[in-house]
Amino acid sequence: MSQRRLFKLHKIVILAFLFGGTLFSPTTYAQGLLISEGDRLPRTRIFPPRPRPIPTLVVDSSQIYAIKEIAVDGKLTDQIAEVNVSQTFTNTTNRTIETSFVFPLPYNGAIDQMTLLVNGKEYPAKLLDAKTARSDYEKIVRANRDPALLEWIGTGMFRTSVFPIPAGESRTVTIRYTQLLRSEHGVTDYIFPLATAKYTSKPLEKISITLNIESHDELKNVYSPTHGVQVKRSSEKRAVVKYEESNTVPRSDFRLLFDTKNGEISSRILSYRPKTDEDGYFLLMSSPKITSEKNKPIAKTVVFVLDCSGSMSGKKIEQARESLKFVLDKLNEGDKFNIVAFNSSVNTYEQNLIEYNGKTKQESADFCDGVRATGGTNIHDALKTALAMIQDKERPSYLIFLTDGQPTSGITDESKIVANATDSNGNKTRMFVFGVGNDVNSRLLDKLARGNFGVSDYVLPEENIEEKVGNLYSRISEPVLTGAKWSILRESDGNRNVTNQVYPAGELDLFAGEQMIIVGRYSKTGAVGATLIGTVDGDEKTFTFDGEFVEKSGDSRFSFIERLWAVRRIGEIIDQLDLKGDNKELAEELVRLSTQHGILTPMTSFLADDSTDLRATTDNVIRARELSREQLGIVVGSNATSSRAMKNSMQNAQFADASVARQELAIHENVMQPLPSAQINSLGGGYGGGSYPRGGRMRMTASSPTTSQIPAASQSRSSFANNDAKINSSQLMGRVQQLGNQTFYFRNNQWEDPSVTAEQRKKVQVVKQFSDEYFALVKKHGKELTQFLVLDEPVLFNFKGQTYLFEM
């Protein structure tokens, strides 16, 4: 974003954040603003540094407003939303500004009633229909020469009377409104526009959203495709959704989907197909309420394998003991368990599995207290001993493996350890692997998880082992459907060959209170039937659902599905390159998807450099393969841990918009830095929350889930071998923009659509910003076009068969 926007003459965008609920593009609707009604503020244009122009949002006291806090409190009863929004902002200029508050309407009839208060005083507002509002919007755009306001043209608006904001003072704006939410395919959609907060002069001190959902039928799926939320269910028909973040600049709007249905399980299929000559994208979300006929939790087996070698001494072994006691405290009557503590040798609590009860709980806790850190690390024998104990194929079984080092005793060869563990695991025990610190062989741990139906995670030096392990076990403590398999067929002809590249793949376990999110692609359209088969208490159960794979999407309401699929697919590609080695075809797909979606990784960070020709596919694939071999060839150290944390978080991404927008998390001095836990997917976000793939990955947070999964593009020492310039993470972020579902790269002092060919550039239609031709095109195409015109810099892109250059 250019700094010019930060000095607008009339406008102060402070985010009314109104009107969640539209099913259209979450970045284009219902964002409020303040309009200065006094004399013009001085127009100032500041150019980014040359010769590398990088549009950035500069935090500067000379900007005209700052948002301190946003609090949203809403009650969603079926399709009715009653919302109270409170926000505090400050006039950072040295003069009083006379303002009126303007807020667009998402669609006719959406708002039943609305109240606006400024510091507790109510201000009247008048409703303008879309035609009258269009004239007002266009006048504001022409006067302010600000393209960001174009996104509201075509909607109605409320506009308040004038009120003053004295220099340096703060005002709290409170908005109360009632809204009818839209519903499609049985899914109710709530949107709260946060994205305009990126215009604030400094990070918001706090954002908090609390939504109380009540339904007449049983509440099933509750899913945010944009943010990591906490969902607490007080009953079958009620849930509280919370999202909080501090010291942040939001980059995407908040969106929540939920559905209702009476019965054991609810599944919904959403689909998106922007181009009829390409496969579409689908998302399947499923929330179980499957109960055992015995009316008690399904009995399971849990074996804890703890590294107590000398390197675990001190704080690590203390936290490991406490994490083990946490798991022991949460086991259920009827569960079977054991503890394997290992260093150079292997020691067990009991020779065989033992049933959990009050007596064994206390005895095992005493065993934990006696564990001391000393000796080497015999991973091979520890895993072989633990897996040999698990013989009951009827009950679900889980092995929690925690280590901080590399194998130094017994068999130390990586391939033999993995092969022998896999051969010993005849019961398909799920292995949850925790690597503690940066001295682990992260590739070995990933291979163990992948080969044994489980997931891996890394506890970074500043993180707490007990919190990580406790978070995991709290989610897997009550399996309700195990060995679950999905299949989808087209109802018209019974064709089962309709989907491809589905993530997660393979068998899944579903857990109480969680939901599963599956994404994939489809080649056949029309009505489809989905079948879920799994095991409950040793008995096979079958569930069936209906859905539709659309032939052509009429709008971008479900475009997030494509992006979420792309994130997971890129994570899967990197995982295959890591565990199976270099592959030209995979590298080609990695470059293509990264370029198309602007999802930068350590292997494709060079795409953000404006010296890279995005059309030079062959050269870019060669560079990506070189970087892949270099990055993934490192198996020990902070680089190795961070690289694998990155791919794991991408494979497990539950939402895409916010995570991709925050790619600035990990670059520092040519070294990919470890991600803090607060910036990594919650386990609930991983592969659909409470479902874990047979052979998947996980990333989790030690506290509450937050936005942002995808670690930033990172560059290695060779990635810019021919370029002496150092590129930091914020600069990389500034070179890639996502508008709607289109990616733009900053090249030649303008934003460019990478799909524009050299031949199309010769036939480009040049349109002057704010000219009559400009507004004529805006009027003709509306929001389909204006979503790409919100930037101050020139924009080059393909639109409806024509290549346009909108220049200043």
Side-chain angles (χ1 to χ4, degrees):
M1 178 184 311
S2 132
Q3 296 171 8
R4 176 166 72 108
R5 179 162 312 158
L6 305 179
F7 300 93
K8 288 303 173 184
L9 30 118
H10 277 292
K11 185 193 71 170
I12 303 175
V13 180
I14 71 156
L15 60 151
F17 293 147
L18 293 180
F19 314 122
T22 173
L23 283 170
F24 296 93
S25 174
T27 61
T28 60
Y29 284 87
Q31 300 166 347
L33 50 102
L34 282 180
I35 303 297
S36 172
E37 303 288 355
D39 295 332
R40 292 183 173 220
L41 296 172
R43 284 188 66 190
T44 304
R45 188 174 184 193
I46 296 179
F47 292 88
R50 304 300 184 196
R52 294 185 177 278
I54 303 166
T56 56
L57 180 63
V58 178
V59 177
D60 192 306
S61 61
S62 60
Q63 295 178 359
I64 56 181
Y65 73 97
I67 305 165
K68 295 180 63 177
E69 182 175 349
I70 302 163
V72 181
D73 188 14
K75 180 180 180 182
L76 312 183
T77 305
D78 295 321
Q79 284 184 249
I80 304 299
E82 299 173 83
V83 183
N84 186 92
V85 183
S86 178
Q87 57 222 348
T88 302
F89 61 95
T90 302
N91 173 10
T92 59
T93 69
N94 60 1
R95 53 164 291 178
T96 296
I97 302 176
E98 297 291 327
T99 64
S100 63
F101 203 73
V102 171
F103 33 91
L105 300 182
Y107 45 84
N108 292 332
I111 303 301
D112 176 61
Q113 62 182 29
M114 178 176 296
T115 303
L116 173 70
L117 299 96
V118 179
N119 278 17
K121 179 180 178 181
E122 184 172 342
Y123 279 78
K126 60 179 179 179
L127 173 64
L128 305 179
D129 60 26
K131 183 178 180 180
T132 306
R134 172 184 287 275
S135 176
D136 277 24
Y137 286 131
E138 187 169 324
K139 287 178 182 177
I140 295 169
V141 171
R142 286 183 182 273
N144 290 2
R145 304 188 68 80
D146 184 355
L149 301 183
L150 288 171
E151 56 190 320
W152 292 299
I153 289 181
T155 68
M157 71 157 75
F158 275 96
R159 188 166 186 166
T160 71
S161 58
V162 177
F163 60 91
I165 310 174
E169 292 195 12
S170 296
R171 289 290 182 268
T172 297
V173 175
T174 303
I175 304 159
R176 300 168 184 162
Y177 65 93
T178 302
Q179 177 188 10
L180 176 65
L181 303 180
R182 287 186 172 178
S183 179
E184 186 164 324
H185 304 299
V187 178
T188 302
D189 195 347
Y190 172 80
I191 296 176
F192 185 79
L194 282 173
T196 41
K198 62 190 174 187
Y199 299 125
T200 182
S201 63
K202 61 182 180 180
L204 278 67
E205 294 179 6
K206 183 179 180 181
I207 297 174
S208 63
I209 299 177
T210 302
L211 301 174
N212 290 271
I213 307 176
E214 295 185 6
S215 173
H216 289 93
D217 295 324
E218 292 178 11
L219 186 63
K220 287 299 197 300
N221 295 290
V222 179
Y223 167 62
S224 172
T226 58
H227 292 77
V229 297
Q230 289 181 309
V231 180
K232 293 186 177 181
R233 299 173 184 261
S234 57
S235 70
E236 294 179 346
K237 299 181 179 182
R238 290 180 172 83
V240 177
V241 178
K242 289 189 176 183
Y243 168 74
E244 289 189 3
E245 193 165 3
S246 301
N247 193 33
T248 184
V249 176
R251 298 186 185 276
S252 69
D253 296 331
F254 177 88
R255 193 173 185 187
L256 186 73
L257 308 176
F258 62 93
D259 73 338
T260 61
K261 183 180 180 181
N262 293 324
E264 285 190 300
I265 189 170
S266 174
S267 293
R268 300 289 181 180
I269 295 176
L270 305 178
S271 60
Y272 177 67
R273 193 183 189 205
K275 299 178 180 178
T276 56
D277 58 347
E278 296 181 5
D279 287 358
Y281 304 86
F282 76 91
L283 179 145
L284 187 153
M285 55 182 177
S286 184
S287 180
K289 190 200 75 172
I290 305 167
T291 57
S292 167
E293 293 182 0
K294 302 174 184 177
N295 291 321
K296 62 180 182 179
I298 296 174
K300 60 186 179 296
T301 296
V302 179
V303 178
F304 199 103
V305 181
L306 173 62
D307 180 352
C308 58
S309 61
S311 59
M312 285 286 290
S313 62
K315 187 176 181 179
K316 286 192 287 188
I317 195 65
E318 293 174 5
Q319 291 182 358
R321 282 196 294 258
E322 293 305 311
S323 66
L324 175 51
K325 287 194 281 188
F326 176 89
V327 173
L328 293 171
D329 190 56
K330 300 297 182 181
L331 291 174
N332 300 316
E333 294 283 343
D335 288 344
K336 291 185 178 180
F337 76 104
N338 208 339
I339 303 168
V340 177
F342 73 97
N343 42 41
S344 301
S345 58
V346 178
N347 185 27
T348 63
Y349 161 56
E350 290 288 345
Q351 185 174 355
N352 299 305
L353 295 176
I354 190 166
E355 190 161 325
Y356 180 79
N357 54 42
K359 180 175 180 292
T360 56
K361 173 184 175 181
Q362 183 58 52
E363 290 176 349
S364 59
D366 294 340
F367 177 85
C368 293
D369 290 334
V371 172
R372 294 292 182 270
T374 182
T377 309
N378 191 340
I379 292 176
H380 176 273
D381 288 358
L383 294 178
K384 186 176 180 179
T385 299
L387 290 168
M389 297 178 182
I390 304 171
Q391 301 296 327
D392 188 348
K393 295 183 178 181
E394 296 299 318
R395 63 168 64 197
S397 54
Y398 306 100
L399 188 154
I400 300 175
F401 172 41
L402 191 151
T403 181
D404 79 330
Q406 306 168 56
T408 60
S409 300
I411 295 176
T412 59
D413 181 81
E414 179 181 313
S415 59
K416 289 182 179 179
I417 293 174
V418 174
N420 290 341
T422 302
D423 291 343
S424 300
N425 192 4
N427 289 317
K428 294 185 177 182
T429 297
R430 290 187 177 277
M431 187 181 295
F432 295 94
V433 180
F434 289 90
V436 181
N438 292 320
D439 295 327
V440 296
N441 182 329
S442 53
R443 185 173 64 192
L444 167 61
L445 300 189
D446 277 10
K447 285 183 175 180
L448 284 169
R450 172 69 82 173
N452 291 279
F453 321 108
V455 290
S456 57
D457 189 24
Y458 296 94
V459 185
L460 304 180
E462 70 276 11
E463 295 180 317
N464 186 288
I465 300 171
E466 182 183 356
E467 290 179 335
K468 281 291 192 81
V469 176
N471 197 355
L472 163 70
Y473 187 76
S474 294
R475 295 177 182 276
I476 68 169
S477 60
E478 291 189 31
V480 295
L481 189 70
T482 60
K485 299 178 182 178
W486 278 99
S487 63
I488 298 178
L489 60 81
R490 187 165 64 174
E491 294 181 346
S492 61
D493 55 10
N495 189 339
R496 292 183 178 274
N497 188 28
V498 297
T499 63
N500 60 86
Q501 294 184 314
V502 178
Y503 304 107
E507 295 183 6
L508 307 167
D509 284 358
L510 275 69
F511 299 91
E514 300 291 342
Q515 66 183 24
M516 174 174 57
I517 302 295
I518 294 176
V519 292
R521 305 201 66 174
Y522 64 88
S523 56
K524 310 292 182 183
T525 62
V528 295
T531 301
L532 172 64
I533 301 176
T535 301
V536 180
D537 274 342
D539 298 325
E540 186 175 274
K541 280 200 171 187
T542 301
F543 306 90
T544 59
F545 311 93
D546 295 326
E548 181 185 8
F549 286 163
V550 298
E551 183 175 358
K552 174 70 167 65
S553 296
D555 53 51
S556 59
R557 67 187 70 181
F558 296 134
S559 62
F560 69 86
I561 301 173
E562 176 183 358
R563 196 157 180 79
L564 178 58
W565 175 87
V567 171
R568 288 191 181 181
R569 176 58 186 164
I570 288 174
E572 180 68 18
I573 290 172
I574 296 173
D575 190 53
Q576 292 184 39
L577 292 172
D578 184 20
L579 302 186
K580 297 181 180 179
D582 182 42
N583 182 290
K584 180 182 177 182
E585 288 73 22
L586 288 177
E588 289 174 342
E589 186 180 2
L590 175 63
V591 169
R592 177 176 58 81
L593 290 175
S594 297
T595 302
Q596 178 182 348
H597 296 282
I599 301 170
L600 304 182
T601 71
M603 299 79 188
T604 55
S605 59
F606 61 87
L607 296 172
D609 181 17
D610 55 14
S611 68
T612 299
D613 184 353
L614 297 175
R615 298 184 297 274
T617 305
T618 300
D619 291 342
N620 293 341
V621 170
I622 291 173
R623 294 181 73 180
R625 293 177 72 183
E626 175 191 350
L627 289 168
S628 297
R629 288 190 293 265
E630 178 182 328
Q631 288 280 344
L632 300 176
I634 303 171
V635 299
V636 178
S638 60
N639 267 13
T641 303
S642 296
S643 293
R644 288 168 180 86
M646 175 212 62
K647 69 167 183 176
N648 292 353
S649 64
M650 295 180 77
Q651 286 180 289
N652 296 330
Q654 186 184 23
F655 47 92
D657 294 344
S659 59
V660 174
R662 293 174 59 125
Q663 294 181 16
E664 72 272 24
L665 297 180
I667 291 186
H668 178 66
E669 296 288 328
N670 290 327
V671 175
M672 186 172 181
Q673 299 299 304
L675 290 174
S677 64
Q679 294 174 331
I680 297 171
N681 255 354
S682 68
L683 188 59
Y687 273 98
S691 59
Y692 298 103
R694 295 279 182 187
R697 295 291 186 272
M698 68 175 171
R699 284 297 283 159
M700 71 177 80
T701 177
S703 55
S704 61
T706 65
T707 308
S708 94
Q709 277 65 256
I710 302 179
S714 173
Q715 66 175 11
S716 70
R717 287 179 173 80
S718 66
S719 63
F720 291 99
N722 299 320
N723 186 350
D724 292 332
K726 293 289 183 96
I727 297 182
N728 62 38
S729 56
S730 62
Q731 290 175 324
L732 278 174
M733 185 64 191
R735 287 183 172 141
V736 183
Q737 284 274 3
Q738 189 76 18
L739 300 177
N741 216 37
Q742 175 64 52
T743 300
F744 291 87
Y745 292 82
F746 199 72
R747 296 288 193 274
N748 306 312
N749 296 327
Q750 64 189 22
W751 293 101
E752 297 187 359
D753 172 358
S755 70
V756 176
T757 66
E759 190 64 29
Q760 288 172 330
R761 287 171 184 265
K762 298 176 182 178
K763 302 176 182 179
V764 67
Q765 179 178 339
V766 180
V767 180
K768 195 73 174 177
Q769 194 179 48
F770 308 127
S771 64
D772 290 341
E773 180 185 14
Y774 177 91
F775 283 105
L777 287 169
V778 168
K779 183 176 181 179
K780 179 180 179 180
H781 298 294
K783 294 177 177 61
E784 279 189 279
L785 176 63
T786 57
Q787 62 181 326
F788 305 128
L789 305 182
V790 297
L791 300 169
D792 281 330
E793 295 75 25
V795 186
L796 173 72
F797 60 97
N798 290 322
F799 181 75
K800 292 187 178 295
Q802 175 64 47
T803 303
Y804 290 97
L805 173 60
F806 286 83
E807 66 177 14
M808 297 172 59

